[in-house]
């Protein structure tokens, strides 16, 4: 593969785009990642090796498009040591040439057999979907040699099959409903059963400027918002307080597993959950509290300010007896990868007690607050679990708060530090103004609590 780093190279996180066939980095050079991320583009799948520029990053988020989906899967499988978290597939499948799961064989062979400069232009026109879109695309036309492109098609056709569970390794899938390259129904067939599919009305070349903000969490903004709300969180977060009470009751009901062992809490926040379980444990010396912001010095045990999603990757196998995390994993790039890491660090019989929020969370304002996190139902979380983790108990409910005015609702959201607006100041102002004008005075919470055990 070839690649180009489009940003400084000085950040600790990387957003890596695997482009489609016929591409180079030119059509994607104007994209901007979230603060804290570098951006790179890979292309040319005649071989699936990348230079080792990825080795220095703490976290890698992958966006793969078209034939880049299969190429990315093979690259990630061969590089399990790299800290890849979020994986987003766009308009492609793990079966690039297939009559029902990818581009039909006859169309693929016809493209290869008749490949020329003129036919490449026709391909780009079909890819972009309209004359106007093609004219815009042509301003940054890829510079690829025809023979090179033919060799790339042959290499793609010769790719070995992926392993049978590879579909579930991806966190989010975009199916492009106006795609004239890979039939939309074939895309649906290829991702059948995946819990996070988005159908996007788009030609084969989508608007990546709308996809990239969703492809990685802006953790700098999350940290800033929750730090700003920490002083008022406990008095305003009544639902969150109920959640920590329910979590503790569930833990007690099952006999306090892990209370005498090594305890890790991810996303400690102000310590609402910690203050409930810590007095019930044998020793605070075995407790570790982790949060993006500095955990309160009043909390017991070791305190670490870092990204909890990455912290678990640093822990030895079978080293944690119980892991607590309350209302946190929805802010992670990949809850799926986090749960896989949890299974690794737990011994047989070890426990994870977690809470998150379901798809009805903040349902009244979702159309306005477009940067809300990716909420997951209990069944969605169940679909993400590695086979080593089993559900001991789960609980899901709805809690609706009533406010006298929309202004009070907005005040409540700010007091709890929730990031409901975009990182961009202009978009943040627009979202806040739209919400203020909406007249909405109800806010629904949809807590989901699960207790998991390592087989």
């Amino acid at each position: 593969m070839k690649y180009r780093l489009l940003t400084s190279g000085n950040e600790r996180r990387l957003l890596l785009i695997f482009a489609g066939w016929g591409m180079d980095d030119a059509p994607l050079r104007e994209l901007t990642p979230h603060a804290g991320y570098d951006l790179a583009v890979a292309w040319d799948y005649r071989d699936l090796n990348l230079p080792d520029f990825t080795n220095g990053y703490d976290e890698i988020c992958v966006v793969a498009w078209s034939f880049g989906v299969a190429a990315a899967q093979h690259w990630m499988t061969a590089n399990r040591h790299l800290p890849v978290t979020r994986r987003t597939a766009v308009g492609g499948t793990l079966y690039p040439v297939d009559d029902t799961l990818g581009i039909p064989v006859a169309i693929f062979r016809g493209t290869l057999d008749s490949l020329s400069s003129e036919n490449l232009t026709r391909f780009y026109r079909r890819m972009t979907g309209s004359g106007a879109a093609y004219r815009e695309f042509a301003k940054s036309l890829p510079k690829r040699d025809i023979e090179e492109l033919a060799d790339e098609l042959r290499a793609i056709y010769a790719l070995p099959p992926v392993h049978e569970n590879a579909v579930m390794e991806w966190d989010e899938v975009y199916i492009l409903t106006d795609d004239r390259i890979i039939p939309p129904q074939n895309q649906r067939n290829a991702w059948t059963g995946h819990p996070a599919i988005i159908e996007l009305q788009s030609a084969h070349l989508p608007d990546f400027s709308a996809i990239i903000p969703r492809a990685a969490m802006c953790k700098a903004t999350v940290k800033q918002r929750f730090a700003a709300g920490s002083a008022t969180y406990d008095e305003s977060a009544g639902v969150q307080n109920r959640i920590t009470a329910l979590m503790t009751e569930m833990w007690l009901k099952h006999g306090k597993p892990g209370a005498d062992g090594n305890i890790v809490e991810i996303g400690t926040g102000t310590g609402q959950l910690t203050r409930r379980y810590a007095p019930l444990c044998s020793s605070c010396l075995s407790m570790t509290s982790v949060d993006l912001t500095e955990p309160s010095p009043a909390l017991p045990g070791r305190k670490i300010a870092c990204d909890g999603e990455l912290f678990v990757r640093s822990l030895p196998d079978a080293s944690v007896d119980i892991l607590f995390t309350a209302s946190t994993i929805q802010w992670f790039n990949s809850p799926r990868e986090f749960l896989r890491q949890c299974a690794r660090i737990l011994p047989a019989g070890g426990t994870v007690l977690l809470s998150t929020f379901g798809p009805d969370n903040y349902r009244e304002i979702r159309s306005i607050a477009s940067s809300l996190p990716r909420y997951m139902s209990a069944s969605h979380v169940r679909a993400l679990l590695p086979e080593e983790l089993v559900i001991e108990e789960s609980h899901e409910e709805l809690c609706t708060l009533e406010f006298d005015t929309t202004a009070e609702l907005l005040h409540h959201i700010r007091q709890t530090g929730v990031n409901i607006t975009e990182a961009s100041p202009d978009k943040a102002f627009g979202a806040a103004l739209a919400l203020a004008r909406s007249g909405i005075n109800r806010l629904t919470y949809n807590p989901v609590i699960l207790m998991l055990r390592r087989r």
Side-chain angles (χ1 to χ4, degrees), residues 363-437:
R363 62 190 180 192
E364 294 86 354
I365 63 173
R366 286 203 71 82
S367 63
I368 298 171
S370 60
S371 67
L372 283 168
R374 298 168 283 267
Y375 296 125
M376 301 173 292
S377 65
S379 61
H380 186 165
V381 177
R382 187 178 293 110
L384 302 181
L385 293 179
E387 62 180 13
E388 298 91 344
L389 291 179
V390 296
I391 297 177
E392 290 280 85
E393 186 177 348
S394 65
H395 174 80
E396 186 169 1
E397 66 182 29
L398 296 176
C399 306
T400 300
L401 304 183
E402 302 276 354
F403 300 89
D404 290 335
T405 64
T406 305
E408 287 186 12
L409 182 150
L410 273 167
H411 181 70
H412 165 79
I413 291 171
R414 293 192 189 101
Q415 295 284 76
T416 55
V418 176
N419 172 26
I420 68 154
T421 53
E422 307 285 350
S424 158
D426 291 342
K427 291 183 178 179
F429 177 77
L433 184 61
L435 184 55
R437 290 173 172 172

Side-chain angles (χ1 to χ4, degrees), residues 238-240 242-243 246 356-364 366 375-378 394-402 442-449:
V239 173
Q240 289 83 350
R242 170 173 168 75
I243 291 168
L246 290 171
T356 184
F357 293 99
D360 280 328
N361 206 63
Y362 282 14
R363 62 190 180 192
E364 294 86 354
R366 286 203 71 82
Y375 296 125
M376 301 173 292
S377 65
S394 65
H395 174 80
E396 186 169 1
E397 66 182 29
L398 296 176
C399 306
T400 300
L401 304 183
E402 302 276 354
R442 294 163 57 94
L443 195 62
T444 296
Y445 285 88
N446 182 195
V448 175
I449 302 171

Side-chain angles (χ1 to χ4, degrees), residues 109-389:
R109 294 297 312 179
T111 301
L112 176 57
D113 293 342
S114 62
L115 190 59
S116 65
S117 297
E118 294 77 11
N119 285 339
L120 180 62
T121 298
R122 292 189 184 97
F123 169 82
Y124 286 149
R125 288 182 180 277
R126 287 175 59 83
M127 179 188 78
T128 52
S130 71
Y134 172 74
R135 287 190 290 275
E136 186 64 28
F137 172 77
K139 295 176 182 178
S140 52
L141 204 64
K143 295 178 174 60
R144 300 289 303 276
D145 176 77
I146 291 296
E147 288 305 315
E148 173 185 292
L149 289 175
D151 288 342
E152 185 179 359
L153 284 177
R154 295 184 188 101
I156 290 168
Y157 189 65
L159 285 175
V162 298
H163 58 88
E164 61 180 75
N165 294 323
V167 164
M168 295 307 298
E169 293 188 3
W170 293 80
D171 295 278
E172 196 163 65
V173 175
Y174 286 85
I175 291 172
L176 307 178
T177 62
D178 296 337
D179 199 322
R180 297 170 62 195
I181 303 298
I182 301 177
Q185 187 56 51
N186 286 13
Q187 296 177 42
R188 295 185 186 99
N189 296 341
W191 297 104
T192 297
H194 195 283
I197 291 175
I198 298 171
E199 296 224 356
L200 184 66
Q201 187 172 0
S202 170
H204 189 64
L205 176 63
D207 178 5
F208 277 102
S209 66
I211 291 172
I212 291 304
R214 284 184 55 95
M217 186 65 66
C218 187
K219 296 184 178 181
T221 301
V222 173
K223 178 179 178 179
Q224 175 188 359
R225 298 289 171 83
F226 278 106
S230 61
T232 55
Y233 183 86
D234 284 342
E235 65 186 65
S236 301
V239 173
Q240 289 83 350
N241 192 43
R242 170 173 168 75
I243 291 168
T244 61
L246 290 171
M247 292 176 71
T248 307
E249 289 172 13
M250 188 179 290
W251 182 56
L252 287 169
K253 174 182 172 182
H254 289 268
K256 300 191 305 182
D260 298 329
N262 290 321
I263 300 166
V264 170
E265 183 180 351
I266 301 296
T268 309
T270 61
Q272 275 192 353
L273 178 60
T274 321
R275 290 190 292 271
R276 290 185 182 277
Y277 72 75
L280 305 173
C281 297
S282 299
S283 171
C284 67
L285 297 178
S286 60
M287 296 181 189
T288 300
S289 297
V290 178
D291 200 82
L292 274 175
T293 59
E294 191 71 43
S296 168
L299 297 178
R302 185 170 62 139
K303 290 164 280 290
I304 300 175
C306 71
D307 184 341
E309 184 176 10
L310 304 184
F311 174 77
V312 295
R313 303 179 74 100
S314 69
L315 296 173
D317 293 356
S319 62
V320 176
D321 295 290
I322 183 166
L323 184 142
F324 293 96
T325 181
S327 307
T328 300
I329 67 168
Q330 67 272 11
W331 302 107
F332 289 168
N333 275 320
S334 179
R336 178 201 54 78
E337 178 61 22
F338 174 74
L339 291 167
R340 194 181 74 82
Q341 292 294 331
C342 286
R344 181 187 61 79
I345 65 174
L346 293 174
T351 301
V352 175
L353 187 61
L354 69 85
S355 70
T356 184
F357 293 99
D360 280 328
N361 206 63
Y362 282 14
R363 62 190 180 192
E364 294 86 354
I365 63 173
R366 286 203 71 82
S367 63
I368 298 171
S370 60
S371 67
L372 283 168
R374 298 168 283 267
Y375 296 125
M376 301 173 292
S377 65
S379 61
H380 186 165
V381 177
R382 187 178 293 110
L384 302 181
L385 293 179
E387 62 180 13
E388 298 91 344
L389 291 179

